[in-house]
Amino acid sequence: DVQLTQSPSPLSASVGDKVTITCRASQNINDYLAWYQQKPGMAPKLLISGASSLDSGVAPRFSGSGSGTDFTLIITSLQPEDFATYYCQQSYSSPWTFGQGTKVEIK
Amino acid sequence: QVQLVQSGAEVKKPGSSVKVSCKSSGGTFRSQTISWVRQAPGQGLEWMGRIIPVLDIANYTPKFQGRVTITADKSTSTAYMEMRSLTSDDTAVYYCAARPSNSRGDSWGQGTLVTVSS
């Protein structure tokens, strides 16, 4: 199985900060990497698919990059509604797997 | 945009079974990939398995192979996840997620809380 390791976990930040979350795969997954945001009591929400494609309606302060084994999610200016847990997911090989999650907390 | 509506919360006894439904609208159900993911209290996301309705083929994470069955009814655009031999460790929110054939990301249902308690 492909293991996904996210860092840091957790992450403390302030409104307006630039936040970077990384996701490292245990083997090559090309660009079959998605990022999700989850708030307490809610279902995950797709932010980015194909490593770098912003989903419809997602704020442009979110961006994703990477290919192969190393991927990054960047939030350029953290907003109050961005405090949440973020997960990466690979769908290159079955079983699909998730990273352990990165909780973005208020500093 | 695909929308998914799941069945309501369930309370089950240890050793029993549960079947959760997931009705899809707004997309082409036959060509979607429907996954099931669970989240135990305070924990992360755990992918369980998937089905592609047009192929009627499901595959599973080894952990759930033999205890979970994922099916799809193309006539009603509804997917199902059945889990047998429940234990308290199966207490979790169960999500379905749908991926169109031209996408690499999922839309999610609202989740179904399954509580296993004697």
Side-chain angles (χ1 to χ4, degrees), chain A residues 10-60:
Chain A
L11 184 159
S12 296
S14 301
V15 173
D17 284 354
K18 178 181 178 181
V19 167
T20 301
I21 300 170
T22 64
C23 178
R24 175 161 288 176
S26 60
Q27 63 191 70
N28 174 42
I29 58 170
N30 287 339
D31 61 352
Y32 284 77
L33 194 284
W35 289 98
Y36 298 91
Q37 176 193 66
Q38 188 181 33
K39 297 180 180 180
M42 303 291 289
K45 172 189 172 185
L46 177 64
L47 298 176
I48 288 168
S49 62
S52 60
S53 296
L54 203 65
D55 196 44
S56 175
V58 174

Side-chain angles (χ1 to χ4, degrees), chain B:
Chain B
Q1 188 83 355
V2 175
Q3 294 191 332
L4 303 172
V5 178
Q6 298 183 222
S7 50
E10 302 263 12
V11 179
K12 294 293 183 179
K13 299 287 189 188
S16 67
S17 300
V18 68
K19 191 170 187 177
V20 181
S21 68
C22 169
K23 184 170 177 61
S24 175
S25 62
T28 305
F29 180 73
R30 292 172 59 92
S31 61
Q32 295 170 1
T33 296
I34 307 294
S35 298
W36 287 89
V37 176
R38 78 175 184 181
Q39 187 169 39
Q43 301 302 307
L45 302 171
E46 181 176 30
W47 191 83
M48 301 173 65
R50 63 174 173 169
I51 189 167
I52 302 173
V54 68
L55 300 176
D56 211 19
I57 293 174
N59 60 7
Y60 306 91
T61 295
K63 174 179 178 178
F64 296 107
Q65 185 82 44
R67 196 163 71 94
V68 169
T69 302
I70 296 172
T71 56
D73 182 341
K74 292 182 287 291
S75 68
T76 60
S77 299
T78 302
Y80 299 90
M81 186 284 299
E82 182 177 27
M83 180 177 283
R84 299 170 290 279
S85 302
L86 293 168
T87 73
S88 58
D89 290 342
D90 296 315
T91 293
V93 176
Y94 290 76
Y95 294 102
C96 62
R99 181 173 299 197
S101 58
N102 61 349
S103 174
R104 294 182 185 178
D106 298 324
S107 300
W108 295 65
Q110 82 276 19
T112 297
L113 175 62
V114 176
T115 303
V116 183
S117 174
S118 56

